Amino acid sequence: MYHDDTITALATPVGVGALHIIRVSGKDAIEQVAKIFKPSKKLLKTAGNSVIYGKIVSQGKLLDEVVCTVFRAPHSFTGEDSVEISCHGSMFVADSILSALQENIRLANPGEFTLRAYLNGKMDLTQAEAVNDVIQSKTKMSQSLALNQLEGSLYARISKLIAILTQARVQVELEIDFLDDDVPEIDLTKLRSDIEDLKAELEGLVVSGQQGRIIREGLKVSLIGKPNVGKSSIFNKLLETERAIVTPIPGTTRDFLEEELSLDGYLVRFYDTAGIRATADTVEKMGISRSLEVIQNSDYILYVTDGSDSQEEYADFVSGIEADKLIKVINKTDLLSQEEVTKYSDYIPSSAMTEAGIEQLKHELLKKIKLSDNELSSGLLTNSRQVNAVKKCIESLEQAIGSIDNFMGYEFTAFDLKEASAYLEEVVGQITDDDLLNNIFSNFCIGK
Ligand code: GDP
């Protein structure tokens, strides 16, 4: 998996800016840049962590005046010799320098710089994933979470659990190895309760992983209800009090509109699933099944009515939706009498017109995601890879408990504990599987 050949990529976004940065990393990174840099001898002698000014010249042609930052192994992001060329911010200039470099070295794959940093032990896997999350973060909270993870909060938490698990395993293995000797017998009741404690903590991690995922990916909220009840108006009112996040969302044939906004620093994604109601039209039916999928994947469903829905219409809309996911809103209260509004006792009364109820709605949405600073920095699981590994660890711990309860012998318990350890190690990255690593790093952008 690990290659130390020299790679290069543009590290800044494609487009025009004040500067572009071209990254070069690998065992002969400095020599490769020196081939097109003047004064080249000076570059070759430049100490690590220092900056040198010069010209990029290829085939006798001046391409740009640049500043190179030189890093020498192991003191660089990747752990290899690296050079960052800061050139003028035109794509033409950056491309011409990249082409000149590519006469001798290859273009990096997405995430390859971070992959090398991970393989060189510069960071664990949760930190490597955090690098990407910091880049992709859209709100204050997703940025804080990613930065905490980058600083190693999750790594520290998982490492502590691995240490506890190892201690328990070693105890059991000692018992196997010195069965006939005078080693004092293990206190099985204590061992069992230690494993139970560990399991409980991991279960807590899985639950908070749900919050970590929501902070990272956004709280998914589907808006449902008849046309004209005021769904878009409510969304727009929330937008007015908060910040819209404008991102082009790929895919043109969508049967729902997706909008993002930052609510108190938390990312919320709204899906307007128009046309969700039963219809005979096949094309529309296809659209509906996709809308249903969106609804199923939502954290909250916002059912909006203006009081004109019949019982049947209401039942149609909410059938199959879990009760704890449903938030009901009675909108256009400005047009309703107080008496009519009180009939909707389990609804949030709102008026997109007068803005009444908008704050309460915001509060309801945030209930599910708000975390204290403490929780945020305690090291949360933030993606399904991590959550799945922890779930498997819990299963192995359950088997270990079973082996104790059923007097299966220390060998079985040791085996289960070892397996549990392996799953936890997978979270922080004792991963050697090439496919899995490629999968993780291929989500990165090129140049990272
Ligand atoms: P949607 O189809 O559910 O998205 O509904 P819209 O948000 O497009 O609203 C339909 C119409 O109802 C528009 O003319 C809005 O101005 C109006 N409307 C929305 N909310 C309110 C409200 O709270 N009070 C009043 N009086 N009109 C509203």
Side-chain angles (χ1 to χ4, degrees):
M1 154 81 19
Y2 185 72
H3 306 287
D4 63 355
D5 62 331
T6 300
I7 52 173
T8 184
L10 185 68
T12 38
V14 171
V16 179
L19 294 172
H20 270 307
I21 295 176
I22 293 162
R23 232 180 194 169
V24 184
S25 184
K27 68 174 184 307
D28 58 353
I30 300 167
E31 289 78 3
Q32 288 296 340
V33 177
K35 284 186 184 166
I36 56 167
F37 183 88
K38 286 199 166 136
S40 64
K41 285 207 179 101
K42 210 168 150 194
L43 176 68
L44 289 169
K45 279 189 265 164
T46 301
N49 292 338
S50 51
V51 167
I52 169 171
Y53 163 82
K55 293 185 169 116
I56 298 287
V57 178
S58 172
Q59 294 172 350
K61 242 178 80 194
L62 174 68
L63 298 185
D64 199 8
E65 288 184 19
V66 301
V67 167
C68 288
T69 314
V70 176
F71 302 92
R72 291 195 182 265
H75 305 292
S76 70
F77 175 74
T78 54
E80 306 170 326
D81 278 357
S82 305
V83 181
E84 283 176 12
I85 307 171
S86 303
C87 63
H88 286 100
S90 119
M91 273 319 289
F92 179 75
V93 169
D95 277 342
S96 62
I97 298 175
L98 269 173
S99 307
L101 284 166
Q102 279 178 82
E103 284 181 17
N104 299 302
I105 60 180
R106 73 175 167 91
L107 203 61
N109 296 321
E112 196 169 2
F113 293 95
T114 316
L115 173 64
R116 288 182 176 199
Y118 162 68
L119 293 172
N120 276 323
K122 300 296 275 185
M123 56 180 73
D124 79 290
L125 206 50
T126 64
Q127 288 170 309
E129 285 171 328
V131 170
N132 203 29
D133 289 347
V134 172
I135 300 171
Q136 308 278 353
S137 65
K138 290 180 181 162
T139 63
K140 191 168 134 246
M141 289 305 157
S142 54
Q143 183 199 26
S144 311
L145 185 67
L147 284 174
N148 278 321
Q149 188 167 318
L150 187 59
E151 280 181 355
S153 57
L154 182 57
Y155 178 68
R157 190 160 176 189
I158 298 287
S159 301
K160 201 185 95 207
L161 296 175
I162 292 175
I164 297 172
L165 198 50
T166 307
Q167 209 179 7
R169 180 169 57 89
V170 166
Q171 231 187 338
V172 179
E173 278 172 357
L174 266 179
E175 196 70 39
I176 300 170
D177 290 345
F178 300 101
L179 203 53
D180 304 325
D181 297 345
D182 254 358
V183 177
E185 274 235 28
I186 309 183
D187 179 349
L188 275 182
T189 322
K190 168 137 192 344
L191 179 70
R192 191 187 186 287
S193 87
D194 286 350
I195 299 175
E196 284 281 7
D197 289 349
L198 204 58
K199 193 178 139 233
E201 173 141 11
L202 289 167
E203 280 163 350
L205 257 182
V206 170
V207 172
S208 69
Q210 173 75 354
Q211 272 164 319
R213 178 194 64 72
I214 289 176
I215 292 176
R216 199 172 140 260
E217 294 175 8
L219 183 78
K220 297 186 188 119
V221 180
S222 287
L223 284 163
I224 60 169
K226 285 203 302 192
N228 283 320
V229 294
K231 298 184 294 296
S232 330
S233 306
I234 290 177
F235 174 77
N236 285 328
K237 281 297 160 202
L238 284 168
L239 261 192
E240 271 174 34
T241 52
E242 297 291 336
R243 200 167 61 83
I245 297 169
V246 185
T247 26
I249 296 162
T252 43
T253 50
R254 281 182 301 115
D255 316 287
F256 48 88
L257 291 171
E258 181 179 353
E259 310 266 6
E260 296 179 338
L261 76 94
S262 165
L263 219 55
D264 273 6
Y266 293 91
L267 175 64
V268 180
R269 313 169 96 110
F270 281 95
Y271 300 91
D272 190 348
T273 58
I276 183 74
R277 311 208 34 232
T279 167
D281 188 299
T282 344
V283 179
E284 233 179 283
K285 264 194 175 152
M286 278 165 60
I288 287 170
S289 75
R290 251 174 300 193
S291 295
L292 282 175
E293 213 177 284
V294 170
I295 289 177
Q296 259 147 23
N297 289 328
S298 294
D299 301 297
Y300 276 132
I301 319 289
L302 218 61
Y303 169 69
V304 184
T305 178
D306 57 1
S308 66
D309 299 18
S310 67
Q311 271 301 326
E312 291 74 36
E313 282 172 321
Y314 168 75
D316 252 15
F317 273 116
V318 303
S319 79
I321 296 174
E322 295 159 47
D324 63 344
K325 279 190 171 182
L326 192 64
I327 299 179
K328 296 189 278 187
V329 177
I330 171 80
N331 189 40
K332 303 196 189 181
T333 49
D334 55 299
L335 300 179
L336 299 171
S337 69
Q338 186 59 39
E339 206 183 353
E340 280 172 299
V341 176
T342 42
K343 281 194 230 154
Y344 291 86
S345 56
D346 56 342
Y347 284 62
I348 297 175
S350 84
S351 165
M353 185 89 114
T354 67
E355 291 187 22
I358 298 296
E359 274 303 311
Q360 193 192 339
L361 183 57
K362 198 176 115 178
H363 178 76
E364 278 300 314
L365 291 174
L366 284 175
K367 250 199 214 162
K368 195 155 184 168
I369 26 176
K370 272 219 159 170
L371 289 175
S372 65
D373 284 350
N374 243 354
E375 286 172 298
L376 201 63
S377 58
S378 67
L380 299 182
L381 304 176
T382 50
N383 61 39
S384 51
R385 183 193 70 79
Q386 299 164 0
V387 171
N388 288 338
V390 171
K391 279 185 178 165
K392 283 189 180 148
C393 174
I394 292 172
E395 279 171 28
S396 300
L397 290 181
E398 279 164 357
Q399 280 174 13
I401 292 170
S403 74
I404 296 174
D405 290 347
N406 298 316
F407 309 106
M408 289 164 76
Y410 292 131
E411 280 83 357
F412 282 89
T413 316
F415 178 83
D416 294 333
L417 292 178
K418 195 164 187 166
E419 208 171 59
S421 268
Y423 285 127
L424 270 195
E425 279 161 10
E426 201 179 294
V427 176
V428 288
Q430 322 291 330
I431 294 183
T432 45
D433 183 328
D434 279 8
D435 288 345
L436 197 58
L437 282 177
N438 279 333
N439 196 358
I440 292 167
F441 286 96
S442 62
N443 291 323
F444 281 55
C445 45
I446 290 184
K448 196 60 225 178

